[in-house]
Amino acid sequence: MPYYVTTPIYYVNAQPHLGHAYTTIAADVLARHMRQRGEDVFFLTGTDEHGEPVALAAEAAGVTPRELADRNSARFEALMPQIESSNDYFIRTSDPRHVEAVQEIMQRVHDAGYIYKGSYEGLYCPSCADFKTGQEVGPGDTCPVHGIDLIHEKEENWFFKLSAFQEPLEKLFADNPDFVRPPERRNEALSFIRSGLRDISCSRAGLSWGVEVPWDPEQVFYVWFDALLNYVTALRFAREGEDLTDRYWPANVQLVGKDILKFHAVFWPAILMAAGLEVERSLVVHGYLLMDGEKMSKSLGNVLDPFEVIERFGADALRFYLLREVQFGADGSVGTAGFESRYNSELANDYGNLASRTIAMIGRWRDGTVAAVDHDPELVKDFEGIDVQVAELLDRVEPTQALEAIWVRVRRLNRFVEEQAPWQIAKEPERSAELDVVLASLAEGLRSVTVALHSFMPDSTTKVLAKLGTPDTDWQAAAYKPSGDGMQVTPIEPLFPKP
RNA sequence: GCCCCGGUAGCUCAGUGGUUAGAGCGACGGACUCAUAAUCCGGACUGCGCGGGUUCGAAUCCCGCCCGGGGCACCA
């Protein structure tokens, strides 16, 4: 089955930070997991490059918008391998192929009668050459960029008939209870729709850094229309000479942060309907990462620096930490203290040390060979359904709960070692068969949790599986097999060394 | 103002009508030695924001209130 997962495209005016890494990592876990299950996966991320802020920043830096976009987009593209993102493509909205596709699709929306000329009225900054709204308006109706007074002005714009989609959207939400998750975000979007949809302007005059409106070269599309369409345009050109649209659209899961809920839960499906395209299957909204309960901000200097964490502890540890610490969907606190605590107690002590002790015991008493025997029935029972359970949780995009389900088994394995005390059995040669069962059960349990963890920590788990002599990461391999076919293990270095 | 979500052990949270309300972390005590001084066990922390109500029975349902967070349109 095709499985298409997307992240938002990141606005090039900002530096890559933890929030970008978080969304991308979550999407990557889903993509890798679905690949383990043999699905036909396409995972998209990229950068959003048009719009006034970029044009202004470029002007301030004395470069062209394209030069600025090239430079900053490259930073995001460089982030991907650092966080072990396995995205299949990285789209840039300044790509001429994207621009062309946006024009084609919006022309269709226009021809279908969903676009009309209207006038946009609001507070205008002559220096920015753009209208200011909401938080963009400084105290006393001034421009926060230039500090000058804004003037009330009208501009001729093209408008998108969002109001025409009031009922279709309500029906979409009614027919698909899981269209937006978690439910509180669904409520939020739905109440927005029910409060009455107004038409929105979809073009801007006097700005050149954008996608030109094909029937009116004096205007460019409002950046959201250009940006949202990336999810479908990318499929047209991501693979040379092949159009992947029919294969992957509609997307199975579109991950977004809660700040852009409205655009993805309301505007986006309306645009798709207007263009005669299918609507995305589901939108999954995550929360903010907070630092000690405060919203992250550079000025507060409380940012957990993802690059520093990766440098010192590896990308696997960052991936694990972010999805483990914060209930996916809710806001949650992250910080260096919390990171170190989980790194030490869970990655190093619980899991890393489990791998060390398991492999060491098999080496010491069995010369690295795991006997092909039936496993401990109680352990077998406790591992029953681990594969099904984790797969279901990830289907529901509950990575935090999936990790918890796996961790219950990791702890179970450490308890099993203490209960069985193999070092005692090893002292009594007549209990040799017992020792075989204990070690084989343990090795199988370690192998099972490791396969289950593979999408979260691709690097570390690959190492462990290699040392166990069982490199298979297909999802069937996540199931605990109650009778072993024997493994050959080799010594392993500490997976998550303590500083 | 209207709407949504939350308020459970020192901390982070699970638990949506029914045995003595749970987990992880932290702290304390103990066991063990295969392992990255790792692991395991134990009791304790006697806690469901407040006030009513429904019920044989409520953390769990209803009403009101208090506190915290979020949303209420064109900020990418």
Side-chain angles (χ1 to χ4, degrees), chain A residues 375-421:
Chain A
H375 297 161
D376 183 274
E378 294 204 12
L379 191 68
V380 169
K381 191 162 160 285
D382 289 336
F383 267 75
E384 221 166 47
I386 180 176
D387 54 329
V388 175
Q389 194 187 358
V390 171
E392 280 176 359
L393 287 167
L394 288 176
D395 279 341
R396 282 157 44 197
V397 195
E398 300 273 16
T400 310
Q401 289 186 42
L403 277 175
E404 176 57 22
I406 297 168
W407 228 253
V408 167
R409 271 73 175 208
V410 170
R411 289 194 207 100
R412 175 67 184 103
L413 289 170
N414 278 317
R415 207 180 324 128
F416 180 72
V417 176
E418 299 303 318
E419 286 167 3
Q420 301 298 322

Side-chain angles (χ1 to χ4, degrees), chain A residues 211-482:
Chain A
V211 176
E212 192 174 281
V213 175
W215 60 87
D216 180 0
E218 296 303 305
Q219 306 229 358
V220 297
F221 286 111
Y222 173 46
V223 70
W224 267 110
F225 283 77
D226 158 14
L228 286 165
L229 282 166
N230 92 86
Y231 303 123
V232 291
T233 65
L235 295 173
R236 298 188 181 192
F237 54 83
R239 296 262 171 81
E240 198 63 40
E242 193 183 358
D243 188 336
L244 301 172
T245 310
D246 291 342
R247 183 162 156 195
Y248 292 112
W249 191 257
N252 298 69
V253 173
Q254 300 207 264
L255 280 181
V256 295
K258 64 180 185 179
D259 50 330
I260 51 179
L261 168 69
K262 188 168 55 198
F263 298 100
H264 287 81
V266 183
F267 297 0
W268 176 224
I271 295 168
L272 286 166
M273 289 179 198
L277 294 165
E278 282 188 81
V279 165
E280 77 256 32
R281 288 192 209 283
S282 77
L283 186 69
V284 175
V285 186
H286 71 252
Y288 287 144
L289 299 181
L290 309 171
M291 296 295 286
D292 304 319
E294 301 281 323
K295 189 168 174 179
M296 271 188 285
S297 92
K298 274 192 177 160
S299 57
L300 289 174
N302 60 356
V303 174
L304 182 72
D305 184 347
F307 303 105
E308 201 175 300
V309 171
I310 290 166
E311 172 80 17
R312 288 181 58 196
F313 302 96
D316 278 5
L318 178 69
R319 292 165 62 99
F320 172 83
Y321 173 69
L322 294 178
L323 294 176
R324 175 82 169 136
E325 182 82 320
V326 179
Q327 174 62 42
F328 199 72
D331 289 355
S333 289
V334 296
T336 51
F339 175 84
E340 280 166 29
S341 168
R342 285 212 190 261
Y343 179 87
N344 286 324
S345 72
E346 298 191 336
L347 289 180
N349 298 349
D350 290 349
Y351 178 67
N353 184 53
L354 174 68
S356 294
R357 68 198 307 207
T358 300
I359 289 171
M361 285 189 281
I362 295 165
R364 176 189 281 233
W365 297 312
R366 288 295 182 266
D367 207 22
T369 303
V370 178
V373 293
D374 284 346
H375 297 161
D376 183 274
E378 294 204 12
L379 191 68
V380 169
K381 191 162 160 285
D382 289 336
F383 267 75
E384 221 166 47
I386 180 176
D387 54 329
V388 175
Q389 194 187 358
V390 171
E392 280 176 359
L393 287 167
L394 288 176
D395 279 341
R396 282 157 44 197
V397 195
E398 300 273 16
T400 310
Q401 289 186 42
L403 277 175
E404 176 57 22
I406 297 168
W407 228 253
V408 167
R409 271 73 175 208
V410 170
R411 289 194 207 100
R412 175 67 184 103
L413 289 170
N414 278 317
R415 207 180 324 128
F416 180 72
V417 176
E418 299 303 318
E419 286 167 3
Q420 301 298 322
W423 48 90
Q424 289 293 343
I425 306 176
K427 287 179 188 163
E428 305 169 44
E430 68 277 14
R431 296 175 68 192
S432 176
E434 247 181 273
L435 186 59
D436 279 334
V437 171
V438 171
L439 296 180
S441 306
L442 197 49
E444 175 61 11
L446 175 62
R447 194 198 57 73
S448 167
V449 295
T450 301
V451 174
L453 283 170
H454 185 249
S455 64
F456 294 91
M457 299 191 287
D459 186 45
S460 312
T461 52
T462 299
K463 273 185 207 161
V464 173
L465 292 173
K467 298 298 186 186
L468 290 174
T470 55
D472 185 7
T473 57
D474 286 354
W475 194 248
Q476 302 92 285
Y480 186 106
K481 290 170 200 60

Side-chain angles (χ1 to χ4, degrees), chain A residues 98-109 111 214 236:
Chain A
H98 168 75
V99 170
E100 189 188 340
V102 168
Q103 290 176 323
E104 190 271 312
I105 293 168
M106 289 307 291
Q107 182 71 55
R108 242 192 292 160
V109 173
D111 295 347
R236 298 188 181 192

